[in-house]
Amino acid sequence: MTSMEKRLQKELQAMTKDPPAGVSVNTNSLSSSLSEWIVDIEGAPSTLYEGERFQLGFKFTSRYPFDSPQVMFIGPNIPVHPHVYSNGHICLSILTEDWSPALSVQSVCLSIVSMLSSCKEKKLPPDNAIYVRTCSKDPKKTRWWYHDNSV
Amino acid sequence: MNTATGTSSPSNDDRQSPNDDDQNGTYECNICLETANDPVVSMCGHLFCWSCLHQWLETRPNRQTCPVCKAGISKDKVIPIYGRGNPNPQDPREKLPPRPAGQRSEPETSNPFQNFGFGGDGNFQFSFGIGAFPFGMFASTFNLNDGRPGPPLPNSPQQAEEQFLSKSAWGPADGIWHVAAFIVERHWTGGKSIFQ
Ligand SMILES: [Zn+2]
Ligand SMILES: [Zn+2]
C-alpha cells in the first residue's frame, strides 16, 4: 500500500467512524486506490444554504498529502456563492497555495461548509462568465489570488 | 467514471481494520497520521516523522512552515526525540530520508511569481504581455454574449494553450474589498472531466 493510500485509509476510517455534522463520504464512489472520492455535504442550519445538499469531488495524486487534492463541486447542485464558479471550481486558498499536509478531507469539507455558512448573499463570482469559459478543467491549474477570506 | 461499480473496491471491512498501536493519536505524525517514525518535534510543539517533515520542507523550500500551525520551521529548528531502547540513537536528520519515487522529477524552475506570493511549484508557465486587461473590458464584452456560444476571445487566436491574466476588482459593497484575479490556462481539448 502506498503512503497516499495508507493515509487516505486512515482518513476514511476516521470519517466513517465519526463523521462530522453535515459531511458524509459517499463510499460507493471510492475507487480501489482511494484516489477519487465523492463527499456529500449539507448546508448548515440557519444559513442561506440550510437544507441544500451538495457533492464535492476529490481527486488525489500519489503525492498526497504533500500535494493538495483537487476539490470541486460536482453533480447537479452547485451552490451559488461568490467564491464558487458555476462549473464547480472553488476559490479557496487552502486548496492551492495554503495547502498543508496536516489538512485532510475532513478539514477541507468543514472549511467549505464554513465558507458557505458565512455567505450573506447568494451570488455568482463577478467574473464567473469569463472564468468558466476559459478555465482549465483542473481548478488547481488556476492561479488564484486570494484577497478576501471574509465571505 | 470507473469508480462507481463497487466490484473493484475493497470492502468496507478491509478499510476499517483498527490500528491498535496508535489509538489515541498522541504520538501520531501530523502528516502521515501513523505513529511517528524517527520522530522530530518542532519548536511549536508539533510532532512529525522526520521523513514526512523532510519531504514537506522540500516541497516548499522557499516557504518552510509548520504544517499544523504555520509557524516558521526548518531542519535546524526541530528536535529529534529518542525513546528508550536504542543505546546509540542516530539523529534522524543525519540520515537521508527515503524519498518517494518521482519527487525529484519535477524541475525546480524558478518561478517569476514567487515574489508575488504564489506558491510556486513550478508547474505553470506565465506569460505577461498578453491579455492583462482590466476586468471591465472583458465583462462588457462577455455579458453581451451571455447565454450564447461565445465568440473567440478578443485578439486571442484559438491557440491550443494560451495563458492570460485576468483581474477583477470590485467592492467595497459590503464594507470589504474582494479582488479575485486568476491566471487561466486555456485548454480547448475535448472530453469531460470525470466530475462533470
Ligand atoms: Zn509521518
Ligand atoms: Zn506548529
Side-chain angles (χ1 to χ4, degrees), chain B residues 82-96:
Chain B
Y82 307 119
R84 185 173 165 274
N86 184 351
N88 293 307
Q90 187 190 0
D91 185 337
R93 295 171 297 172
E94 306 299 318
K95 301 188 224 169
L96 191 65

Side-chain angles (χ1 to χ4, degrees), chain B residues 14 17 44 64 78 105 138-139 156 168 194:
Chain B
D14 291 338
S17 56
C44 44
Q64 300 198 328
V78 296
S105 63
F138 274 130
S156 69
S168 62
I194 64 145

